[in-house]
């Protein structure tokens, strides 16, 4: 009789949520603890996933596996990890399609060496000083319009402005100064 009462009581008892203080609750029995050294996911008091601060792939894998194994929902996991649900969905999709390698950070910045060598920047700046338009310079030098714009930044800070092409008058009034007084809205 004592044995039957004891086993009945055990069926209704919930496991204690054993998590360290300062952790973030993801769902019942699941918590995330992160600090400057890295992070740990606890499931019913056991450290189940861990990573160092520089290991973003393992952190992403922990989030993906919490959802994939059904331990926590996507919404709960994304909230606990502090990421958008769409981001977590993308991590899961990438992981399913390409495996662990898909969870590594991509290299930020240019994917190939810059075409803007010092010589190319000098060439672009010289063409601009001669009065060429940006699109013409891009075509003549074989670089993108964006690269041309980056190359000429600061061009006029310590050099002479571009010469105007023949046929243009440097003394013609601009549109702003050529308007009659009084403007559109009233009379002066």
């Amino acid at each position: 009789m004592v044995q039957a009462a004891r086993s009945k009581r055990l069926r209704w008892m919930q496991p204690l949520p054993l998590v360290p203080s300062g952790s973030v609750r993801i769902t019942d029995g699941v918590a995330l603890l992160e600090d400057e050294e890295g992070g740990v996911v606890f499931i019913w008091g056991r450290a189940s996933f861990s990573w160092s601060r520089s290991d973003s792939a393992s952190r992403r894998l922990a989030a993906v596996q919490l959802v994939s194994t059904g331990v926590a929902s996507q919404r709960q996991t994304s909230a606990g990890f502090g990421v958008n649900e769409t981001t977590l969905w993308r991590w899961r999709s990438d992981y399913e399609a390409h495996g662990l390698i898909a969870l590594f950070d991509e290299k930020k910045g240019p994917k190939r060496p810059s075409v803007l060598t010092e010589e190319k920047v000098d060439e672009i700046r010289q063409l601009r000083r001669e009065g060429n338009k940006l699109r013409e310079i891009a075509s003549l030098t074989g670089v993108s319009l964006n690269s041309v714009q980056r190359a000429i930044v600061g061009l006029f800070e310590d050099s002479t402005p571009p010469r105007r092409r023949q046929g243009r008058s440097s003394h013609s009034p601009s549109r702003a100064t050529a308007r009659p007084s009084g403007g559109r809205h009233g009379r002066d």
Side-chain angles (χ1 to χ4, degrees):
M1 176 107 169
V2 172
Q3 183 69 17
R6 185 170 170 228
S7 84
K8 186 176 183 181
R9 223 178 346 159
L10 288 176
R11 279 186 277 165
W12 295 103
M13 291 177 63
Q14 293 288 325
L16 293 174
L18 303 173
V19 295
S21 64
S23 60
V24 174
R25 179 185 181 274
I26 294 178
T27 188
D28 289 341
V30 181
L32 168 65
L33 179 64
E34 289 187 292
D35 61 19
E36 63 279 346
E37 294 179 19
V40 180
V41 172
F42 293 90
I43 301 177
W44 297 116
R46 288 190 161 181
S48 300
F49 302 100
S50 67
W51 57 90
S52 66
R53 181 174 55 104
S54 62
D55 186 6
S56 62
S58 292
R59 182 179 190 271
R60 292 172 182 179
L61 179 62
V64 165
Q65 288 187 342
L66 282 176
V67 178
S68 296
T69 59
V71 172
S73 72
Q74 184 159 315
R75 178 168 286 158
Q76 293 166 329
T77 304
S78 63
F81 276 75
V83 298
N84 187 298
E85 280 187 69
T86 305
T87 299
L88 181 54
W89 177 85
R90 187 177 23 81
W91 291 349
R92 290 181 62 210
S93 176
D94 291 348
Y95 178 71
E96 289 169 4
H98 306 288
L100 183 60
I101 193 77
L103 298 178
F104 283 89
D105 285 329
E106 285 187 25
K107 179 184 167 195
K108 305 290 189 244
K111 307 296 185 239
R112 59 185 173 87
S114 175
V115 295
L116 287 179
T117 62
E118 198 171 317
E119 293 79 22
K120 188 62 77 173
V121 169
D122 290 342
E123 179 185 3
I124 290 168
R125 288 182 173 186
Q126 182 58 40
L127 288 168
R128 184 63 175 163
R129 282 187 198 100
E130 293 170 2
N132 290 293
K133 294 180 181 178
L134 298 181
R135 290 190 192 283
E136 293 170 338
I137 296 171
S139 176
L140 290 169
T141 58
V143 299
S144 71
L145 186 58
N146 264 352
S147 293
V148 170
Q149 290 170 332
R150 280 196 322 272
I152 65 170
V153 169
L155 173 64
F156 301 115
E157 290 176 4
D158 52 67
S159 63
T160 59
R163 294 185 318 212
R164 299 229 177 226
R165 287 189 172 178
Q166 294 177 356
R168 292 185 188 169
S169 169
S170 61
H171 299 291
S172 63
S174 69
R175 290 183 183 189
T177 59
R179 288 187 187 149
S181 64
R184 174 200 253 175
H185 298 291
R187 294 176 168 81
D188 287 1

